[in-house]
Amino acid sequence: MTNHVDGNRAYWNKTSAEYQARHAAQLGKVEPTWGVWAIPERELCILGDVAGKDILEFGCGGAQWSIALARRGARMTGLDLSAEQLRHARAFVESEGLSVTLVESNAEATPFAPASFDIVFCDHGAMTFADPRKTVPEAARILRPGGLFAFNMATPWLDVAIERNTENVTDRFVVDYFDMPPWCDEAGQTTFQLGYGDWIRLFRQSGFLIDDLVELRPKATATTTYEGYAPIEWARRYPAEHIWKLRRET
């Protein structure tokens, strides 16, 4: 286990209850939504028809997405590093009376057999908190040929505009874009980012084709429970989140 894995596990085990309570209104189990401003999947159409498909939520937290997709006929598996997040997930799944397989694992080295899933996805999740140079090849390994890999996360635009000492989002670049290191905050939580060229090269080396890059722009009236993520005025001028949509080569 590397330091960021242990640190992130400890962080989420410590903060899981507070996180689930604070964001309960936004982490809907009925209407799947993307990002901190909860843009509905029915508007973005990232995953498409999920009925009858084997799907992995790659960093599932409380498994709200998994519950919503199971209702739509998907065969869901939720993976998370945190035992406490999975404790909430089990309670939510049981209360909904649905079938979702929950697995405690590091997303950088999962226990799944090759070609296990039709779709691997996350809304932040593993692609924010794990090393992408390990998670992207791992997603390719466990996807079937032609399978979909989709994930939402912060953009490089946002990461180079955050003052690290205050975590304030600015209107200027304050962090070097090239070779962005992992960022470990004061709480011990580590997040990862790559530049656009590095992302594309990593995808191609791992056997992915790029279908789309969807840059999320919240409506002017959008609200969020993630108040510290970025000012909405900023996110309407510059993309604060984006969704990579990839296909495993056949």
Side-chain angles (χ1 to χ4, degrees):
M1 290 296 183
T2 55
N3 287 339
H4 72 267
V5 173
D6 293 339
N8 282 342
R9 179 188 292 108
Y11 172 86
W12 284 105
N13 282 343
K14 179 179 179 180
T15 63
S16 177
E18 178 187 356
Y19 176 87
Q20 292 296 332
R22 177 179 297 180
H23 303 295
Q26 188 158 328
L27 297 171
K29 305 169 199 171
V30 177
E31 174 74 18
T33 60
W34 292 98
V36 300
W37 286 282
I39 301 175
E41 161 66 7
R42 57 181 161 78
E43 294 181 9
L44 297 175
C45 300
I46 302 298
L47 303 183
D49 183 5
V50 300
K53 294 182 179 178
D54 295 307
I55 301 180
L56 172 66
E57 187 176 1
F58 209 35
C60 66
Q64 287 90 348
W65 260 98
S66 290
I67 289 168
L69 297 184
R71 279 205 185 93
R72 288 156 175 78
R75 293 187 292 270
M76 290 303 306
T77 299
L79 173 146
D80 206 273
L81 182 67
S82 164
E84 280 299 298
Q85 285 282 64
L86 290 174
R87 183 176 65 80
H88 289 282
R90 280 191 294 273
F92 294 148
V93 169
E94 289 173 5
S95 70
E96 298 297 322
L98 294 168
S99 176
V100 177
T101 300
L102 297 171
V103 177
E104 183 178 342
S105 175
N106 174 9
E108 297 173 8
T110 73
F112 307 115
S116 292
F117 299 101
D118 300 301
I119 297 174
V120 174
F121 84 98
C122 62
D123 191 4
H124 291 272
M127 295 307 298
T128 291
F129 299 104
D131 186 343
R133 293 179 175 85
K134 297 179 180 178
T135 53
V136 172
E138 182 65 1
R141 184 186 71 83
I142 60 179
L143 268 172
R144 293 167 184 150
L148 172 66
F149 182 30
F151 61 92
N152 179 43
M153 67 180 301
T155 65
W157 288 75
L158 181 64
D159 278 356
V160 299
I162 296 177
E163 293 179 336
R164 295 304 195 231
N165 58 334
T166 64
E167 299 190 16
N168 290 330
V169 180
T170 72
D171 283 334
R172 63 190 186 279
F173 295 155
V174 294
V175 174
D176 290 347
Y177 175 84
F178 292 105
D179 300 318
M180 280 180 280
W183 179 19
C184 183
D185 64 20
E186 291 183 355
Q189 174 184 224
T190 300
T191 58
F192 290 80
Q193 185 61 271
L194 299 176
Y196 286 104
D198 289 332
W199 277 116
I200 291 169
R201 282 183 287 275
L202 177 58
F203 296 149
R204 296 296 293 122
Q205 292 164 5
S206 302
F208 284 111
L209 301 175
I210 299 171
D211 272 1
D212 204 353
L213 176 62
V214 181
E215 295 166 309
L216 301 184
R217 189 187 193 205
K219 295 178 180 178
T221 56
T223 59
T224 182
T225 57
Y226 297 86
E227 295 87 355
Y229 186 81
I232 192 166
E233 298 82 7
W234 195 101
R236 285 185 52 76
R237 295 175 64 200
Y238 316 108
E241 299 175 284
H242 59 200
I243 302 171
W244 286 103
K245 187 175 180 181
L246 315 167
R247 291 283 174 185
R248 184 73 171 93
E249 289 182 320
T250 57

